[in-house]
Structures are given as structure tokens and as C-alpha cells.
Amino acid sequence: MTAAPRISASVMTHPVRRVQAEELAAHLGVGNLAVDPRPDEGPSALRTALVAWGQAEPGATHHLMVQDDVAAPAALLDLVAGAVQRFPEDALVFYTNWHARNGALSRLAALAGAGWVRGVPQEFTPTLAVCLPVDLVTGYRRFAGRSGERHDDEVLSAFLRPRGRMALLAVPGVVEHIGTSSINGHAAQGVRRAACPLDEADARPLLAEGWVLERPDWLPYMRNGEGYLQVSWEPEPTAGHLPWREALPHTGLTETELDGLVRVHRPAEDAARVGRAFGPRYADELWLHALLLGAQAEAAARRRGGGTTGPEHERLRSRAVSTLGMASLPAERRPEVTPEQAALLTGYAWSAIRCGSRLLSDPGRRG
């Protein structure tokens, strides 16, 4: 019988947030506080992360690092232990940014019914709450110690990429980013939240039993109000972002098909309301993005043998789509979104997701 994992943990922080970090550590039952050893030298998440990873305790099989600006359930360590039991050799990520490619990938996985998804190799690996096996910790510290980069999330991806095994992302997000300030220079990204936020009770069975989406054929995502497609999964960190029209031939779909669906199935009144609030181009891009998202999620579910059902899965899907509209806006527009507008964006996205799921996921059913 495999021995039970033993997990040590650290909360990493900067002196200006020490009290906040101490409160979080007490809430989670974490005994190690990793404080920036040279806070006067300018921001460097990596410098503090190296301290945190160096706190892996003797006899531990895995080490969890949590950043100080998050909210998390008191049972986080127990959830992590269960995940480590399932995936003892993987890097495990428990928070995924809503506006990044990994966030779009998590939404796709949520709609497909998955509990975990393999991270995008071309992108940073979110490190607000990440757990590594101790043998990876040793190699990562050696690798990162030679880096001139200050963003630990970029360095972690650079470390994992050549191994051909990016981190597993927990699709239900039990860890949430709080605040908009950033010691490490990310404040310009605006409001940053989890892609698929879910409470502990619903997340627990999904993390314990949910299937793993390893790699979709292609990934629709949005950046600053514009739609893109990722069609290559080769580990090329410098690969650019392909606008969806340019990448569409890789999907087997055509603009003619999509234009036809827009004309027939897009709710005109909601499109006009979204256009008045955020611009007609954004209204077009969001609906087409969600259309492609619905098609690809349904295709992934079918390859698995059918969609996963259950109340917790439905709540996960609902929460995933609830963040789509807000996250796809330019950062400077997010704070102005009212609750009514957020609800409008969510309903608008759902209309496209359902259309894509029904009419685009199977070439034999398009029309």
C-alpha cells in the first residue's frame, strides 16, 4: 500500500503584509512564514518563493506554497492531501487566474465536466497556491536559483516545460485572490479572480473524483476584449497570440458557418445591450468566443464518453460562465461593471455556449 503523503506548507509574504500573512497561516494551520529576505532591493516574487520552497520539512513528501493575498477554506491542507494522493508526481495548482489562457482552459474543462486540466505550456503557471513533490522542489530550487527572472510563475513554467508535463490545474477554484494591489507589479492587470470559483463542499468531490482533461484540440480564449485561438501545444513560450479568424482553419470550422449561427441564433436584444455598454466589437467577440468554447467543451465531453452530471458539476459550470464576461474585458473596464451588466454578460455568453455545444461540436450536426 502506498504510504500516505506528508505535506509541509508555507505562506510567502512581504514585510508590509506580514500581519495579513500571519492571519492566513493561522487560519490554514500553516506553521511556516516565508518573508522576503531583501525587501529593499525591489519586487521579486521569486526571491521570496525560494525561501518558501526551502522550508519543505524533513520527511515531507510534498510542499505547498500559498501567497499572502488569498482567501481559502480552513480545510485547504486536507483538500491538497487528497489531491496529492491521486496525483503524487504532479505539480498541483489550486488557483487559476480568470483572465489568462489557463483560466480559459479551466472554463472549458468545467463545461466539459472535468475536475482537473493540464496547464498551457506557453503560459505562466499560477503560483498563488501550488503544491510540488519534494523531488521537484529540489530541482526547481536549483533551476530557479540561477534565474534572473523575478516572476516565480514564469520560472515554474520554464522548469516544467522541458519535462513535458505541465502542472495539473484544479478546475474548481477553492482559493480566491483578494485585492487589486500587487507588490510584484501586476496591479495593471486590474481585478484578478479565480476562473471557476466554487465552495469547498462542491469542490471536494470534483477534486477527489473528477476526470482529467489533458489537452483539447484547440483553445478559445480572450485578451482585452479580443478573441484568440491556441492551436499548438508545443512548448514554445514565445509563440504569439493568434486572432481567432487567423487560426480558425485549424479547427475545421469556417467563418461562413459562424456568421450563419450569429445571424440566426444570437439574441439581438442582448447583443445590442452588450454593445451599448461595452462596444459592438466586444459584443461580437464575446459571443463568437463563447460559441467556440461551447463547441470545444462538448467535443471534449464526448471524447470522454459523455458529459458529467450532478448538482456540483452544474454549479461549477454556472460559476465558470459567471466569470467569462468580466474576465474578457480590458482590465480598466472591469471595475465599472454593475451586477446587472454582469448578469447580462453571463446570460449572453450562455446563449452562445449552448448554441456551440448543440450545433458545432459534431460536424455531422452543424447547421
Side-chain angles (χ1 to χ4, degrees):
M1 180 180 294
T2 304
R6 181 182 172 192
I7 301 169
S8 58
S10 300
V11 173
M12 62 173 274
T13 190
H14 187 278
V16 300
R17 288 184 181 163
R18 184 173 186 122
V19 172
Q20 178 176 316
E22 289 173 342
E23 291 174 350
L24 177 62
H27 171 68
L28 298 178
V30 172
N32 297 307
L33 206 64
V35 184
D36 187 339
R38 300 188 301 278
D40 297 331
E41 293 186 9
S44 173
L46 181 61
R47 184 172 60 229
T48 310
L50 285 170
V51 175
W53 293 118
Q55 293 175 337
E57 297 169 2
T61 60
H62 296 74
H63 191 70
L64 170 70
M65 185 188 73
V66 181
Q67 295 188 19
D68 57 12
D69 54 346
V70 305
L76 178 63
L77 283 173
D78 182 57
L79 291 172
V80 171
V84 163
Q85 191 82 45
R86 284 192 71 187
F87 310 111
E89 299 180 357
D90 281 291
L92 302 176
V93 168
F94 294 88
Y95 165 88
T96 305
N97 309 61
W98 68 0
H99 63 292
R101 273 177 286 188
N102 277 321
L105 183 59
S106 293
R107 286 191 199 91
L108 192 155
L111 288 168
W116 295 86
V117 64
R118 186 74 61 186
V120 175
Q122 292 90 343
E123 189 172 72
F124 66 90
T125 298
T127 54
L128 266 67
V130 58
C131 184
L132 298 180
V134 291
D135 59 341
L136 278 187
V137 169
T138 301
Y140 176 60
R141 289 184 68 212
R142 186 164 50 246
F143 176 87
R146 300 191 296 265
S147 175
E149 172 67 70
R150 64 188 177 93
H151 299 292
D152 68 319
D153 48 10
E154 297 283 2
V155 177
L156 183 53
S157 275
F159 173 71
L160 295 173
R161 205 174 279 128
R163 298 165 182 267
R165 195 172 179 86
M166 300 304 290
L168 281 180
L169 314 176
V171 177
V174 295
V175 174
E176 183 62 279
H177 181 258
I178 57 176
T180 57
S181 64
S182 175
I183 291 172
N184 208 41
H186 294 309
Q189 296 177 11
V191 179
R192 307 181 299 284
R193 295 288 185 266
C196 308
L198 201 66
D199 63 33
E200 176 199 340
D202 281 334
R204 188 175 287 274
L206 299 174
L207 295 176
E209 301 169 8
W211 60 276
V212 179
L213 175 59
E214 284 288 347
R215 180 179 296 183
D217 296 329
W218 40 267
L219 171 68
Y221 64 99
M222 290 192 74
R223 288 168 53 87
N224 297 316
E226 303 281 346
Y228 297 86
L229 280 171
Q230 179 160 322
V231 295
S232 170
W233 296 88
E234 295 302 314
E236 301 168 354
T238 58
H241 299 281
L242 285 175
W244 68 265
R245 285 181 177 84
E246 184 177 339
L248 194 62
H250 295 273
T251 70
L253 304 171
T254 68
E255 284 193 58
T256 300
E257 288 176 286
L258 301 191
D259 289 344
L261 293 176
V262 170
R263 286 194 303 272
V264 174
H265 296 283
R266 185 169 68 156
E269 183 176 342
D270 284 352
R273 292 172 63 198
V274 172
R276 285 194 296 270
F278 304 107
R281 178 172 174 80
Y282 172 76
D284 292 343
E285 292 287 287
L286 177 60
W287 207 82
L288 284 161
H289 164 74
L291 184 75
L292 293 169
L293 179 64
Q296 188 64 310
E298 179 66 18
R302 289 185 187 179
R303 284 194 298 271
R304 173 70 183 179
T308 309
T309 60
E312 65 274 9
H313 291 97
E314 291 309 312
R315 283 189 284 272
L316 175 62
R317 292 182 178 100
S318 176
R319 297 307 303 275
V321 179
S322 75
T323 71
L324 174 55
M326 180 83 82
S328 63
L329 284 165
E332 66 273 13
R333 299 296 306 271
R334 294 176 201 146
E336 70 189 50
V337 179
T338 67
E340 292 77 15
Q341 289 172 332
L344 167 65
L345 291 175
T346 298
Y348 185 64
W350 267 121
S351 70
I353 289 167
R354 290 176 178 130
C355 180
S357 172
R358 187 176 69 253
L359 299 177
L360 283 180
S361 59
D362 183 345
R365 295 176 60 190
R366 291 179 199 161

